[in-house]
Amino acid sequence: MQSLPIGIDDFAKLCRGDYYFVDKTLAIRDFLDTHGEVLLLTRPRRFGKTLFLSMFYYFFSAVQAEENWKLFRGLAIERAGASYMAEQGKRPVLFVTLKDLKHRTWVAMLDKFRFLLSDLYDRYAYLLEVPGFSRAERKYFQRIHDGQGTPVEMEEALRRLMDMMQRYMSWPYPIRKFLVFIVV
């Protein structure tokens, strides 16, 4: 018997488990058709924002694209047409969740955000080994990776990481085609 996915906020875990869920994958079609620059989800706490955006991550991310394709087999987005499934696994995507930043002071919140960026940069540490980046870019990357970034450096961290990813991958999409999902 299938169970309810209480506490599950990862789309892959939901699909691979034996859970009931409502297929909301047509939201991907709507996102592609509207060509909006920003998708704003205003929902109360514990209303599935992380799960919803992780669905977008698994659909668009070029990382493990073939494996992720299996998650959408038989779902509404697959039945929506081949042109939509052709977009699967075609984008560099950063997925960041801020939902665990629950500290009471600005200093503690900033420290937690510094660790969050450090973890994110750690996923892309292979960029430090790639030729083609300047010494200054490597130094900046290492500072964020090591949790030593200043607030000003942290402010630019996502944009700079996307820029490095784009150049590393020789990605045909301009920066505006990057997808960045931030859950608050």
Side-chain angles (χ1 to χ4, degrees), residues 17-177:
D18 192 25
Y19 298 105
Y20 283 113
F21 72 96
V22 175
D23 183 353
K24 295 184 179 185
T25 58
L26 286 181
I28 296 166
R29 179 193 65 189
D30 296 342
F31 178 74
L32 289 168
D33 288 348
T34 60
H35 303 291
E37 298 244 343
V38 174
L39 171 64
L40 176 63
L41 299 175
T42 55
R43 299 283 187 272
R45 287 186 69 240
R46 310 280 308 149
F47 228 77
K49 294 180 297 291
T50 304
L51 176 61
F52 186 77
L53 290 178
S54 77
M55 173 186 70
F56 275 76
Y57 171 80
Y58 287 110
F59 184 83
F60 288 109
S61 180
V63 177
Q64 298 181 334
E66 280 188 41
E67 187 66 27
N68 293 342
W69 182 86
K70 297 173 189 174
L71 299 173
F72 297 92
R73 189 176 298 147
L75 297 180
I77 190 64
E78 185 182 46
R79 294 188 303 271
S83 63
Y84 294 109
M85 285 307 290
E87 295 294 323
Q88 192 275 324
K90 301 288 189 209
R91 301 275 195 282
V93 179
L94 296 179
F95 184 86
V96 179
T97 179
L98 305 178
K99 67 181 189 174
D100 293 330
L101 273 70
K102 299 176 182 175
H103 301 283
R104 294 188 185 269
T105 68
W106 174 249
V107 172
M109 188 76 79
L110 194 60
D111 284 343
K112 179 68 175 182
F113 188 66
R114 185 175 283 115
F115 286 123
L116 187 144
L117 287 175
S118 176
D119 288 345
L120 178 66
Y121 268 60
D122 193 51
R123 286 185 242 157
Y124 301 96
Y126 61 85
L127 291 172
L128 288 172
E129 308 301 320
V130 175
F133 295 116
S134 72
R135 208 169 86 203
E137 287 173 312
R138 292 175 195 283
K139 186 177 177 181
Y140 173 85
F141 188 104
Q142 193 68 56
R143 286 180 54 71
I144 298 297
H145 178 269
D146 293 346
Q148 301 299 314
T150 67
V152 173
E153 290 172 323
M154 291 172 13
E155 185 178 329
E156 289 291 311
L158 294 177
R159 187 193 58 77
R160 285 184 173 220
L161 181 57
M162 288 186 295
D163 180 57
M164 290 180 80
M165 287 172 59
Q166 181 180 25
R167 286 188 289 140
Y168 165 71
M169 300 170 120
S170 300
W171 214 263
Y173 302 105
I175 277 269
R176 70 181 185 281
K177 291 288 187 174

